[in-house]
Amino acid sequence: MSVVDDLLDGIRRSIVDMDDQQAVELTRKALEIHPAETILNRALIPAMETVGNEYEQGKKFIPEMLLAAEAMTAALELLKPALARSDVKKVGKVVMGTVEGDVHDIGQRMVCIMLEGAGFEVHSLGADVPADDFIQAVKTGNPDIVGMSALLTTTAPRMKGVIDALQKQGLRDRVKVMVGGAVLNQRLADEYGADGYAPDAAAAARLARAFMEARRP
Ligand code: B12
């Protein structure tokens, strides 16, 4: 393996190992030889995919996932100026939130990080977000995509409430709506009237990119 690949592999491993200092140090070195986008696509995003897989396999738990996400965020912070400086235009704008009554925001934060990594401008409204706040954010922020997260069986139907409110306000055609969270699936997403569902943060970023591709004339 070349020194160059070693460096990207080192970043990947340091994120998976939740070592933020090492992730930052190696990312700084990598920036001397690689475009920020390469580091993002070949190290940061694959690292979080590995972390997600390890969680599913029971090899990692929530606190470890958060630490890994923080290591990725630290590395991402270093890439941000370079991403902004380069020709990487903002792919699109996303408003994201966990629906009202639901305080689970870990997954949503990961989705936000992944979307930023994929070149989106992301505005997170946080957790426990009332439908009105989503509506206001669409009116004032003019996003391309609205993302909603829910982890509780009791709060997931609120997504339909937000989508219905968008419809009532005549805003539905202005945005694509994507939904996710552990209790969601494609069937529920269809039932609520969302445009898409993704099971994890990496898939969410792919879905958001696909929305933007489809919009291109
Ligand atoms: C951590 C946690 C908490 C923490 C939340 C901390 C925080 N800041 O988020 C605390 C302790 C506060 C909590 C509280 C409660 N919790 Co809780 N909690 C969990 C736990 C253990 C992990 C959730 C998590 O973070 N997963 C990791 C993340 C990365 O996964 P994720 O959220 O699914 O996100 C991924 C995907 O779904 C997707 N995704 C997420 N959002 C979005 C959005 C979009 C647009 C897209 C495309 C994709 C996407 O991408 C993410 C990354 O890959 C789960 C159990 C579990 N295994 O899921 C229970 C769980 C969700 N909680 C549960 C319950 C019942 C509660 C409480 C009601 C408990 C109580 N009796 O008080 C309260 C509810 C409080 C409230 N009103 O919201 C139940 C829900 C059952 C149900 N089906 O309704 C679960 C499933 C536990 C269980 N087995 O009973 N909880």
Side-chain angles (χ1 to χ4, degrees):
M1 194 185 278
S2 71
V3 177
V4 167
D5 286 341
D6 274 351
L7 206 45
L8 293 176
D9 196 44
I11 298 171
R12 265 195 306 271
R13 264 185 288 117
S14 57
I15 292 172
V16 174
D17 293 344
M18 305 157 286
D19 186 340
D20 56 346
Q21 281 183 10
Q22 177 89 336
V24 164
E25 199 177 306
L26 294 180
T27 302
R28 201 167 273 137
K29 278 191 192 149
L31 270 171
E32 288 169 16
I33 37 177
H34 282 301
E37 227 184 339
T38 303
I39 303 171
L40 183 71
N41 291 329
R42 288 180 50 196
L44 270 59
I45 292 179
M48 288 313 287
E49 275 172 352
T50 304
V51 171
N53 291 340
E54 290 190 356
Y55 171 73
E56 278 167 21
Q57 293 158 8
K59 291 185 195 157
K60 268 202 169 47
F61 299 96
I62 302 296
E64 292 159 313
M65 282 215 299
L66 266 185
L67 288 174
E70 275 166 23
M72 182 194 172
T73 312
L76 186 60
E77 284 303 315
L78 280 184
L79 300 186
K80 271 184 187 168
L83 287 171
R85 222 180 24 236
S86 70
D87 293 339
V88 186
K89 276 202 308 237
K90 283 290 168 221
V91 185
K93 200 168 173 182
V94 183
V95 161
M96 176 77 67
T98 303
V99 295
E100 188 169 16
D102 199 326
V103 301
H104 296 88
D105 67 351
I106 295 172
Q108 188 232 118
R109 279 167 53 190
M110 287 190 179
V111 173
C112 289
I113 291 173
M114 219 54 144
L115 286 170
E116 279 185 15
F120 284 88
E121 181 184 337
V122 183
H123 296 273
S124 176
L125 303 174
D128 192 12
V129 181
D132 266 0
D133 290 9
F134 280 106
I135 300 298
Q136 283 313 316
V138 171
K139 279 184 180 161
T140 56
N142 204 19
D144 303 289
I145 299 169
V146 172
M148 287 186 278
S149 184
L151 273 275
L152 297 171
T153 321
T154 47
T155 57
R158 300 250 158 90
M159 291 173 166
K160 181 167 174 4
V162 175
I163 293 169
D164 288 349
L166 284 170
Q167 189 83 49
K168 263 196 201 128
Q169 301 266 340
L171 300 167
R172 183 66 185 91
D173 294 340
R174 264 167 54 176
V175 290
K176 289 284 183 191
V177 177
M178 64 178 186
V179 294
V183 288
L184 265 291
N185 53 45
Q186 188 62 55
R187 188 187 57 75
L188 278 178
D190 293 342
E191 191 182 313
Y192 297 158
D195 298 301
Y197 156 78
D200 57 50
R206 283 196 295 273
L207 176 64
R209 272 190 175 267
F211 282 153
M212 300 312 294
E213 294 282 326
R215 276 193 162 193
R216 250 180 231 153

